[in-house]
Amino acid sequence: MAKTIFHPETDQIELTTVLEALSDPIRRDIVLGLSEDGEQNCSSFNGLSSKTNLTYHYVRLREAGLTRTRPMGTHRLITLRADDIESRFPGLLAAVLAAARAERAQRQAEDLSASLIGEARPRSEDGA
């Protein structure tokens, strides 16, 4: 028999738990990805961290009430509980997502700048 996955009811979702879950940049990236792309397989976020570490983050998000996990065969699909969060804390998720998008844009700009600076370095005469 399959293990039951705990999800808090909407009225059980607590602000402090949600804010604590959203305080981690990896979890914010997961929430942002779910917001932009909808339901996703757990492996969709493998680029963010190791599988073991991601499992920890998925549990934190689920137990905070931010996500819902649905088993499908050997996979687990994750969805963002946007409507539940909005009904409990109006405007909170929109503000967090806007900040997460700004953080991502900043990181991308810094990465691009670093790569351009790396390419702009003069090469030695021997081509090394």
Side-chain angles (χ1 to χ4, degrees), residues 19 22 28 31-32 91-101 103:
L19 292 175
L22 291 170
R28 281 194 306 273
V31 168
L32 183 58
L92 175 67
L93 191 56
V96 169
L97 291 172
R101 283 186 192 95
E103 285 177 346

Side-chain angles (χ1 to χ4, degrees), residues 64-99:
L66 286 158
T67 62
R68 183 168 304 282
T69 302
R70 178 173 66 92
M72 176 172 249
T74 59
H75 301 281
R76 289 188 177 213
L77 301 174
I78 306 170
T79 55
L80 183 62
R81 294 176 63 182
D83 292 340
D84 292 336
I85 299 301
E86 182 62 24
S87 71
R88 286 286 288 155
F89 314 111
L92 175 67
L93 191 56
V96 169
L97 291 172

Side-chain angles (χ1 to χ4, degrees), residues 1 24 57 66 91 96 102 113-114 127:
M1 185 170 165
D24 185 275
H57 290 301
L66 286 158
V96 169
S113 176

Side-chain angles (χ1 to χ4, degrees), residues 20 30 40 70 96 100:
E20 192 282 323
I30 292 168
Q40 295 188 49
R70 178 173 66 92
V96 169

Side-chain angles (χ1 to χ4, degrees), residues 1-122:
M1 185 170 165
K3 180 180 173 185
T4 302
I5 301 172
F6 170 77
H7 297 92
E9 297 296 326
T10 303
D11 63 347
Q12 295 174 320
I13 299 172
E14 297 178 1
L15 181 60
T16 54
T17 308
V18 168
L19 292 175
E20 192 282 323
L22 291 170
S23 70
D24 185 275
I26 291 174
R27 292 192 289 265
R28 281 194 306 273
D29 283 345
I30 292 168
V31 168
L32 183 58
L34 293 171
S35 171
E36 292 176 344
D37 300 326
E39 184 176 59
Q40 295 188 49
N41 187 306
C42 291
S43 64
S44 300
F45 300 103
N46 283 350
L48 296 176
S49 188
S50 69
K51 185 177 179 180
T52 303
N53 195 35
L54 285 172
T55 298
Y56 168 78
H57 290 301
Y58 298 145
V59 170
R60 296 294 298 271
L61 289 168
R62 180 176 44 78
E63 290 180 348
L66 286 158
T67 62
R68 183 168 304 282
T69 302
R70 178 173 66 92
M72 176 172 249
T74 59
H75 301 281
R76 289 188 177 213
L77 301 174
I78 306 170
T79 55
L80 183 62
R81 294 176 63 182
D83 292 340
D84 292 336
I85 299 301
E86 182 62 24
S87 71
R88 286 286 288 155
F89 314 111
L92 175 67
L93 191 56
V96 169
L97 291 172
R101 283 186 192 95
E103 285 177 346
R104 182 178 60 193
Q106 178 72 28
R107 281 193 315 265
Q108 289 171 340
E110 289 170 358
D111 290 348
L112 178 61
S113 176
S115 70
L116 291 175
I117 290 170
E119 291 175 9
R121 289 187 184 150

